[in-house]
């Protein structure tokens, strides 16, 4: 049994894999301190007889605490970096500045479609920020980043004197009848229409029609509203980590 985890800014998302088959998934809030997060993860590792752990992290303090805890119980840890063995070439010009979750999500999507055909793969990871990344011709090329709905909501509230805090729900109509409704409508339509527009522009630069996969907290909404997104996979990042764990030696 192996365990793959994705440490984001607010939570640790993890999954257990047996022979590359996804099993139990779990989530641990990062509101706790790094040592408490590591202890909670270690309890799951012990209970599931995990032999190796793969980590994608954008929170160095949490990944260091987890590495230390796993070392104490002799569970080898693979921490994904841009220097790891990858199934594709990195052609991103500044890989050291890139969140490794983008690499993991791209790897998860690449493995999903690699045996089907050689068409490009586009990954939309829709969380706090929205990333759109492309793998084409055996190379990770990168892609655009835009703010997610939560960032837009904070910006609308903090950058103005009178705009209210709003609930992020899909609007009933485009012509809003109140200020609260107007802000929410603008945020939600800018999410869907902005991502759709970016996907159209990305596709124009590719030689073939791509496979498009969505993941992340807003990925299901985007998949429902954008017809060119062919697949929604909430576990894409941890699937990618698990695959990368298998090709990186201990």
């Amino acid at each position: 049994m192996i365990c793959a985890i994705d440490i984001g800014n607010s939570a640790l998302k993890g999954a257990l894999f047996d022979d590359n088959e996804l099993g139990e998934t779990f989530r641990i809030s990062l509101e706790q301190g790094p040592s408490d997060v590591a202890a909670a993860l270690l309890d799951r590792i012990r209970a599931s007889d995990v032999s190796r752990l793969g980590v994608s992290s954008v929170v160095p303090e949490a990944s260091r605490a987890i590495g230390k805890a796993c070392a104490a119980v002799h569970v080898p840890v693979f921490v994904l970096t841009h220097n790891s063995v990858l199934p594709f070439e990195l052609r991103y010009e500044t890989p050291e500045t890139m969140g490794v979750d983008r690499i993991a999500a791209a790897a998860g999507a690449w493995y999903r479609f690699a045996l089907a055909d050689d068409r490009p793969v586009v990954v939309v990871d829709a969380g706090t920020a929205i990333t759109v990344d492309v793998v084409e011709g055996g190379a990770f090329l990168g892609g655009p980043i835009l703010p997610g709905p939560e960032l837009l909501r904070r910006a609308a509230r903090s950058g103005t004197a009178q705009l209210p805090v709003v609930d992020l729900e899909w609007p009933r109509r485009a012509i809003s009848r109140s200020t609260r409704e107007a802000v929410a409508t603008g945020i939600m339509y800018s999410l869907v229409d902005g991502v759709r527009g970016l996907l159209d522009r990305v596709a124009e630069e590719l030689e073939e029609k791509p496979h498009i996969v969505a993941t992340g907290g807003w990925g299901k909404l985007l998949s429902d509203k954008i017809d060119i997104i062919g697949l929604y996979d909430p576990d894409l990042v941890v699937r990618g980590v698990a695959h990368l764990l298998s090709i990186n030696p201990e």
Side-chain angles (χ1 to χ4, degrees):
M1 187 80 69
I2 66 170
C3 180
I5 63 173
D6 170 32
I7 306 175
N9 290 307
S10 60
L12 178 156
K13 291 162 283 186
L16 301 175
F17 291 83
D18 190 3
D19 291 331
N20 286 327
E21 290 296 321
L22 177 67
E24 177 191 0
T25 62
F26 57 90
R27 181 183 180 93
I28 301 172
S29 172
L30 292 190
E31 291 181 0
Q32 314 169 64
S35 59
D36 290 332
V37 170
L41 176 63
L42 201 58
D43 287 342
R44 287 188 173 270
I45 288 174
R46 285 170 168 159
S48 304
D49 194 25
V50 169
S51 61
R52 198 170 177 216
L53 176 71
V55 181
S56 165
S57 175
V58 297
V59 185
E61 297 84 358
S63 49
R64 282 195 292 268
I66 288 168
K68 183 177 180 181
C70 288
V73 294
H74 308 291
V75 174
V77 178
F78 159 68
V79 179
L80 175 63
T81 75
H82 65 278
N83 291 317
S84 300
V85 177
L86 304 175
F88 38 65
E89 176 189 356
L90 273 186
R91 291 187 189 165
Y92 201 73
E93 293 180 357
T94 56
E96 68 282 353
T97 68
M98 178 176 58
V100 292
D101 53 334
R102 294 171 64 186
I103 298 175
W110 186 89
Y111 277 106
R112 170 68 174 78
F113 293 108
L115 297 179
D117 53 52
D118 294 328
R119 286 164 52 193
V121 174
V122 176
V123 179
V124 181
D125 193 345
T128 304
I130 315 292
T131 59
V132 179
D133 286 310
V134 177
V135 178
E136 182 184 36
F140 178 98
L141 305 181
I145 301 175
L146 67 157
E150 181 58 38
L151 288 179
L152 292 176
R153 178 167 66 173
R154 292 179 202 169
R157 183 67 185 94
S158 63
T160 61
Q162 293 185 308
L163 292 183
V165 176
V166 298
D167 295 328
L168 296 177
E169 299 176 349
W170 188 248
R172 294 177 294 162
R173 55 202 171 195
I175 301 177
S176 306
R177 303 296 201 273
S178 70
T179 301
R180 186 176 297 276
E181 184 184 0
V183 174
T185 299
I187 290 173
M188 298 308 291
Y189 277 143
S190 66
L191 166 67
V192 170
D193 294 347
V195 170
R196 175 63 197 244
L198 283 175
L199 290 175
D200 287 341
R201 291 182 181 276
V202 165
E204 288 176 0
E205 297 181 16
L206 299 174
E207 294 185 1
E208 295 182 85
K209 180 181 177 181
H211 297 287
I212 303 179
V213 187
T215 191
W218 292 102
K220 181 63 167 64
L221 174 70
L222 293 176
S223 180
D224 289 343
K225 300 297 182 182
I226 301 175
D227 58 359
I228 60 174
I229 294 177
L231 176 69
Y232 166 66
D233 184 350
D235 303 310
L236 191 65
V237 174
V238 289
R239 289 184 195 275
V241 173
H243 283 299
L244 294 171
L245 182 65
S246 69
I247 64 173
N248 280 269
E250 294 186 17

